[in-house]
Amino acid sequence: MLRVGVLVSGGGTNLQAIIDAVKSGKITNARLSLVVSNNPGAYALERARANDIDACCISPKDYETREDFHQALLKKLEAYRLDLIVLAGYLVKIPPEMVKAYPKRIINIHPSLIPSFCGVGYYGLKVHEAALSRGVKITGATVHYVDEGTDTGEIILQKAVAVEEGDTPEILQRRVMEQAEWIILPQAIQMIASQKDQIR
Ligand code: GRF
């Protein structure tokens, strides 16, 4: 049984997709053990609690130094003996010591087809604003392993989504979430949990 922790910062629709996939049996052999947010007001925490998943806020603002924050986060994660950590809309940089502690055991969902529109400064709506201003006809989402870089780790899954006439960043973001993110993130967790293709 894969013990999964999810790090969140916002609404938690990707977390909800994972919860629903476990409930529906799309994800087997995995258990959501912990949800951590850097944002005390994140609705994602409510979603976790509503599904009896341990949830807490560990915010950099509550610590004297960034190092203290990193240590508190790592300590929490270690206490839950996690096999996989999922970044689902988590907007805090992952400390190098965490990447080292969980080699090829941290995955992230990014709302574009990497290597397009990714890296420092590309998150949330900014990704879709960049795609629209470039005029791409196809965008999508990517699940990748997290390494020391930003959106640079090995790609696990991608799914393409059409850009439509008149799209605003908000409309495009929603379509990418519905048609790509909420599908490939649970799929990637299932692949890892069932150890298909030995991708770990
Ligand atoms: C989404 O745009 C997602 O692509 C990105 O974080 C944003 C919020 O996702 N990773 P969520 O609703 O909090 O899962």
Side-chain angles (χ1 to χ4, degrees):
M1 179 67 79
L2 200 75
R3 293 174 60 82
V4 179
V6 185
L7 304 189
V8 294
S9 295
T13 63
N14 279 286
L15 169 66
Q16 191 64 53
I18 301 167
I19 291 169
D20 295 346
V22 171
K23 279 185 176 168
S24 68
K26 284 201 185 110
I27 292 180
T28 55
N29 201 28
R31 179 175 183 279
L32 285 175
S33 304
L34 174 68
V35 171
V36 180
S37 179
N38 61 298
N39 168 10
Y43 187 65
L45 291 172
E46 296 309 312
R47 295 180 190 270
R49 292 178 183 127
N51 289 277
D52 300 321
I53 301 166
D54 284 3
C56 67
C57 173
I58 299 179
S59 167
K61 295 184 185 128
D62 298 336
Y63 296 88
E64 284 285 299
T65 68
R66 182 58 61 148
E67 181 54 31
D68 291 348
F69 161 66
H70 289 166
Q71 290 315 311
L73 180 59
L74 271 169
K75 191 157 169 267
K76 188 72 176 177
L77 297 173
E78 278 155 28
Y80 278 76
R81 294 178 292 106
L82 300 172
D83 300 302
L84 180 69
I85 295 167
V86 179
L87 310 185
Y90 189 64
L91 297 178
V92 176
K93 179 111 179 81
I94 299 299
E97 58 267 41
M98 185 170 145
V99 177
K100 285 193 187 67
Y102 296 90
K104 279 196 80 172
R105 287 165 55 200
I106 308 173
I107 64 173
N108 180 51
I109 177 82
H110 182 76
S112 76
L113 295 175
I114 289 175
S116 299
F117 314 116
C118 66
V120 176
Y122 285 99
Y123 57 89
L125 274 180
K126 292 174 189 283
V127 174
H128 306 292
E129 286 162 4
L132 290 172
S133 62
R134 181 64 185 82
V136 295
K137 305 306 175 195
I138 298 288
T139 186
T142 302
V143 181
H144 63 92
Y145 283 109
V146 172
D147 62 11
E148 283 74 10
T150 302
D151 303 329
T152 52
E154 178 190 337
I155 290 172
I156 302 171
L157 285 177
Q158 293 189 302
K159 192 167 189 325
V161 174
V163 178
E164 293 178 11
E165 199 60 39
D167 271 351
T168 63
E170 291 77 7
I171 292 171
L172 184 54
Q173 178 180 53
R174 183 77 194 179
R175 187 178 312 118
V176 169
M177 291 165 107
E178 286 175 348
Q179 296 184 12
E181 296 178 41
W182 300 344
I183 294 168
I184 62 175
L185 187 54
Q187 274 179 349
I189 294 168
Q190 173 59 8
M191 283 166 72
I192 293 166
S194 55
Q195 293 183 342
K196 273 184 197 144
D197 310 326
Q198 303 305 317
I199 59 171
R200 287 182 70 174

